[in-house]
Structures are given as structure tokens and as C-alpha cells.
Amino acid sequence: MGEKKIVSRNFNRIKPDSINDYLEVGGYEALKKARSMKREEVVEEILKSGLRGRGGGGFPTGRKWKLVLQEGGKEKFVIVNGDEGEPGAFKDREILEKNPHLLVEGAFIAAYAVGAEKIFFYIRGEYPFAQKLLKKAVVDAGDYSNGIKIEIRSGAGSYICGEETALLESIEGKRGHPRVKPPFPTKKGLWERPTLVNNAETLATVPEIVLEGGEWYSEIGNGEWKGTQLLSVNGAVEKPGVYEFEFGTSAEEVIETAGGVREEMGLKAVAPGASSPLVPARELSKKIEEIGGSGAFIVLSEEESIPEFCKSVAEFFFKESCGKCVPCRLGVMRLLEFAEKRCESGLNEIDFQDFLELSRVMEATSLCGLGKSACVLMKSALELFKEEFLRS
Ligand SMILES: Cc1cc2nc3c(=O)[nH]c(=O)nc-3n(C[C@H](O)[C@H](O)[C@H](O)COP(=O)(O)O)c2cc1C
Ligand code: SF4
């Protein structure tokens, strides 16, 4: 296993602002092919491919498309989730900045397959250059729209607006608070209409699947995880950047591909963002699909203080919790207290037990994924690096 370029195949080979360059490498052929098929047939190819969402949840993409298609002839929407707020993740930005037409084509195919008449691109506000390229790509691709309308919306700096139902609220012009699920967006999404929400990378994978066939894609990857994943490798590596790996690749191979750990630095752990457990140096044989997360791969050197890192993660959740539900609104305060207390005086056994209780309650009772996962990284840090947290 190792690096394999499907989504990133034409990165740095074509100019991102040139539709002619995109057309020269076979751009919009997949869309033509899809439109020559029945909607059901397109969905069937995606089902066959085994593609799963790259936004963090890993939901089977074909199943989601089928649910929206089955909603019949109602008004429907497609949302491209390019909010990318996970700390250390910048792989969706890479797609937008290196090949925006690939994403536009993937979104057009999705809209055709599920029978939607409008696409919303929801792009992180901190990505102005990506937004500019996307705007140009959308205008230049006008001839391929077949009447499908497109609107580009900019996020306003809030992590929670990447959560699909908070995102719906945001597009509707309301405060970005998650909705209670069910109903799921596939049934009642934007303005209560069936809505397909997919991550940008998920949709950027679609054109190649349509061209080559679902079966071709399903033979790439490892076990339940088909295909490839883009990872934003950063931190203490020689060559930080976005790389694409086949599922089945180990963390060790990822680090090697990014030039290895920076000179004279030992490796302590890998953090797949702020919402997933740490991977310690002794577990680098773990595969990328076991590590999870939404594309962030932060390499922490031995010089890094794990409690300090946890504190920055706790500050992040404290700042980003939307406050709609009690377990998370109060829980993130407790989480931050824990992380800060250690930095001043170290934790004792009672603190550890209290933390486990906090983590259990937040995971079980928070309304959305933010609260459910806010303690996950710190919990793994306490298990793996307990000595760094002890009262000295
Ligand atoms: C707090 C929070 C933030 C999220 N942020 C993003 C995001 O920035 N981009 C994204 O694609 N999905 C994000 N998600 C996941 C979305 O809710 C949703 O599952 C995803 O967009 C579905 O697309 P997929 O099936 O293609 O992965 C977030 C989830 C949570 C709980
Ligand atoms: S879990 Fe946190 S972010 Fe999610 S709805 Fe509750 S308060 Fe808001």
C-alpha cells in the first residue's frame, strides 16, 4: 500500500483556473456518461464502488444517494460540504485550489443522480483563494449545468457549521445550531426538502468512479474501506502537505511519504485532528482507516507536551461548542478546567475518575458529534501518556 493518486491525479498538472486544461484531461466526460445513464444506474455504480463519506462519519455514499433519490419528484438539494474546520485538516482546500472543476463535476453528477435542481457549495470562510477559484470554475462550467442552479456560500468561522444540520440552518439564514436527528437531511433537509450533504472529497471521487465503474473502485483499498483518502500531513515532518493514500496504508508509511520525522526529532504520537484518539509511536503499524478522523494527520514530536496539546484542543472545543445542549455547553467548560488544572498543578486519581465520568456523560448525552467527541482525544492522552499528567 502507500500513495495512490485518484482524486489528486491532476493536481499540479493542470491550471486550476482553466476549464480547457480540465477538458484536455477528460474533464466533464464522466458527467456526460452519467447523464446518458438512468439516475438509478448512476446510484448503483456508487453503491457498487463501496465509497464512504470522507467528512468523518464514513456513511456509505451510495446508500445516502439512494435515500434522496427515493424521495420521488419533490424539490431537492445537494450540498457540498467544504467547511473543513477540523484542526490540522486542509485536504478539501487542496481539491478546491488544485482542481475545482473536479468538485463541480462531482456535484453535477450527484445532483443528476438524486434528481436535485440546486447545488449549494458551503466553503470555509478562511479559504478566500479557494472560493475565488471555485466561483470561476462554476461560471466557466455553465454550459454543463443543464439548468442546475448553483450558489456558493461562505462559512463565517464556525466549526459547528460543518455539522450537516447546523450547516442547513446556516444556509437557511439562521444561527448555526444542529438539529435533532431524525429526521435526517435525506428526508428533511434544506427548507424541509430532501437534501444530499456530502463532503467535498467524497464528491471529488465520484467522476472517476463513474468513468471507470464501481467495480474498478471497489477493488482498491482494504476490506470495508474502498479507494483512497487524502491526508493533510503536518507537524513535525520534513515535507508537510496533502497526500493521497490507498486504504490499508500504515501511519508509518504516511510519515515516510511526507519525508519522515523532522531531523533530530523523535516521534511521540500522531493526532488525527482534535476529535479522534491519539496514535502513539509504538502503534504506527495502524492503518489509516483504523485511525479515522477527517483527513488531519498531525505528527507530534517528542518535544511536544501532551497536556499542552490537550489544552489547546480543550480551548478549541470550549470556543466552538454552540451551547444548544447542556451536556456539551457545561461539559466543555469542565474539559477546559481539567486541561488547565493539569498545566498548573497536575492531576490526581480522583481527577482521572471525574474525567472519565465527564467523558462518558458527554459522549452519551450530547446532541451532536462535537459534544460526543470533545473528550475523545484527551481520554486517549490520559491512557497513553498518564505520567505526563500526574501531580509531580
Ligand atoms: C462538529 C462537526 C463538524 C463537522 N464538520 C464537517 C466539515 O467541515 N466538513 C464535512 O464534510 N463534514 C463535517 N462534519 C460531518 C458532517 O456532519 C457530515 O457527516 C458530512 O458532511 C457528510 O458527508 P460525507 O457522507 O460525504 O462524509 C462535521 C460533523 C460534526 C459533528
Ligand atoms: S453537542 Fe455541543 S455543539 Fe453539539 S448541539 Fe450540543 S452544545 Fe451544540
Side-chain angles (χ1 to χ4, degrees):
M1 299 292 177
E3 240 190 316
K4 185 171 179 70
K5 296 184 181 183
I6 295 178
V7 173
S8 62
R9 192 161 51 98
N10 290 313
F11 287 7
N12 301 319
R13 290 181 59 211
I14 59 171
K15 289 195 289 300
D17 60 351
S18 164
I19 190 167
N20 287 333
D21 275 21
Y22 186 64
L23 293 171
E24 266 172 33
V25 294
Y28 292 104
E29 288 300 322
L31 179 63
K32 278 185 214 152
K33 183 175 173 189
R35 285 183 179 149
S36 73
M37 297 158 70
K38 286 193 191 133
R39 297 184 200 282
E40 291 78 5
E41 287 170 345
V42 181
V43 173
E44 194 52 43
E45 285 307 315
I46 303 299
L47 272 168
K48 242 194 258 167
S49 74
L51 176 66
R52 294 167 74 156
R54 302 288 192 254
F59 191 83
T61 307
R63 265 172 52 200
K64 206 188 263 188
W65 286 28
K66 198 170 179 177
L67 287 169
V68 181
L69 177 63
Q70 281 169 345
E71 286 297 315
K74 302 172 197 161
E75 186 186 20
K76 294 176 193 172
F77 300 101
V78 167
I79 298 176
V80 182
N81 191 344
D83 198 40
E84 195 164 56
E86 188 70 30
F90 45 89
K91 49 102 183 167
D92 293 336
R93 182 184 68 191
E94 191 85 347
I95 299 171
L96 287 156
E97 292 188 355
K98 297 280 170 72
N99 197 354
H101 280 288
L102 184 67
L103 185 53
V104 174
E105 184 172 10
F108 276 150
I109 295 172
Y112 171 73
V114 303
E117 51 251 47
K118 184 159 183 177
I119 301 168
F120 284 91
F121 286 86
Y122 193 94
I123 310 296
R124 183 179 172 140
E126 293 88 337
Y127 290 173
F129 183 59
Q131 290 189 8
K132 191 174 150 197
L133 286 171
L134 179 65
K135 271 178 204 156
K136 179 163 182 356
V138 165
V139 172
D140 291 349
D143 289 348
Y144 298 91
S145 73
N146 235 7
I148 291 174
K149 294 187 196 69
I150 292 189
E151 220 175 286
I152 300 174
R153 293 288 180 94
S154 176
S158 152
Y159 172 62
I160 193 60
C161 285
E163 194 281 332
E164 56 186 7
T165 59
L167 195 158
L168 298 173
E169 294 283 296
S170 167
I171 291 180
E172 288 183 12
K174 301 178 202 146
R175 188 179 288 200
H177 280 180
R179 296 179 184 170
V180 175
K181 291 190 271 192
F184 292 95
T186 48
K187 209 169 186 60
K188 282 191 176 183
L190 273 180
W191 298 287
E192 304 219 331
R193 304 290 196 280
T195 303
L196 175 73
V197 185
N198 268 140
N199 169 256
E201 182 185 344
T202 312
L203 291 171
T205 310
V206 161
E208 202 66 14
I209 293 176
V210 169
L211 274 182
E212 301 289 338
E215 208 168 302
W216 164 81
Y217 193 78
S218 72
E219 280 158 17
I220 303 163
N222 187 30
E224 292 288 288
W225 286 92
K226 310 295 186 194
T228 58
Q229 183 184 23
L230 292 177
L231 287 179
S232 356
V233 189
N234 60 95
V237 284
E238 287 288 350
K239 292 189 289 175
V242 174
Y243 300 87
E244 185 172 3
F245 298 98
E246 183 167 2
F247 285 112
T249 301
S250 68
E252 195 166 14
E253 289 171 293
V254 170
I255 294 169
E256 265 167 36
T257 307
V261 178
R262 226 180 288 146
E263 220 180 315
E264 290 169 24
M265 285 182 161
L267 182 136
K268 190 180 260 184
V270 171
S275 320
S276 310
L278 292 171
V279 181
R282 63 174 182 277
E283 287 176 20
L284 290 189
S285 58
K286 264 197 172 168
K287 313 270 187 248
I288 53 174
E289 62 274 18
E290 296 171 290
I291 295 172
S294 43
F297 194 97
I298 310 168
V299 177
L300 304 175
S301 79
E302 267 171 356
E303 286 163 29
E304 200 83 40
S305 151
I306 296 292
E308 284 295 333
F309 186 73
C310 287
K311 194 173 141 192
S312 68
V313 167
E315 281 165 353
F316 170 76
F317 284 118
F318 177 73
K319 183 167 164 279
E320 299 296 340
S321 166
C322 80
K324 176 168 176 169
C325 71
V326 175
C328 174
R329 185 170 68 232
L330 301 183
V332 289
M333 288 186 207
R334 298 293 316 281
L335 174 64
L336 185 57
E337 271 167 35
F338 264 97
E340 285 180 338
K341 186 172 170 188
R342 145 61 199 141
C343 290
E344 280 160 23
S345 58
L347 300 175
N348 61 27
E349 248 343 287
I350 296 169
D351 294 327
F352 283 119
Q353 293 311 317
D354 278 356
F355 178 79
L356 288 180
E357 181 64 4
L358 172 72
S359 159
R360 195 188 61 74
V361 171
M362 284 185 73
E363 199 176 325
T365 61
S366 292
L367 175 61
C368 86
L370 187 149
K372 285 183 194 298
S373 62
C375 292
V376 167
L377 187 145
M378 178 132 169
K379 192 173 160 205
S380 74
L382 289 171
E383 282 162 7
L384 295 164
F385 300 97
K386 190 166 181 178
E387 67 290 348
E388 290 196 38
F389 291 87
L390 289 173
R391 186 165 292 170
S392 49

